[in-house]
Amino acid sequence: MKVVIFDRDGERASELAGEVGAAAVAVAGDTTDDADAQAAIAAAVSLGVVSLLVNVAGGGVGGGRTVGRDGTPHDKESFIKTMEMNAVGTFNMTRLTAAAMSTNEPDEEGQRGVVVNTASIAGIEGQTGQLAYGSAKAAILGMTLPMARDLAPIGVRVCAIAPGTMGTPIMLGVPDQMKENLIKDIMFPKRMGRPEEFALLVESIARNPYLNGENIRLDGALRFGPK
């Protein structure tokens, strides 16, 4: 299997492609920019059949309550930017990549491709101060079923993963006391999720032709409280 790594940080994408080896190509760009997105898709087409899209790009731009304790309303621009980074980017990459997948020869199940989007349990149980991020991830969860229904005629499946507290480089770099607070409500295993566990779920979705239209939690039975 060959892969295109598409990221705004072109240097890091190139480093990761180097770690993967000759089967990986890096493309720098923004998922909300049509020209950048099409360049990434063209790179994938040049490698072979585009059969799997995994949308992982996202994040948050600031946080805050709808109205702060001092009476200040939530910043509108940070809300818009967070929605763009997550929901709009996911939508844009899916619509353009699914169009490319529609030209594939179907397999024995009639399948031409698979889309796996990344949400968060914050989209289900958004905490105080997570209005923008929670809304953006909820939007991704809300896309799953209508996208699956829209793309069924061309044989493209859609699922989303809603991770809990994952051991990303940023999360692993926080102070020990903060780490303890982050994992205290995780039931079992009592630790952050591992990137490999996320990858295993992506693989399971890709391999199982009957998984479609599903939002799947990956959180060690964590349930976010209000704060």
Side-chain angles (χ1 to χ4, degrees), residues 4 16 20 46 108 135 197:
V4 171
L16 183 56
V20 173
S46 72
E108 64 276 7
S135 298
E197 291 163 337

Side-chain angles (χ1 to χ4, degrees), residues 61-68 72-75 78 127-132:
V61 181
R65 297 169 182 254
T66 308
V67 177
T72 303
H74 194 295
D75 179 67
S78 67
Q127 296 180 295
T128 302
Q130 282 190 326
L131 176 66

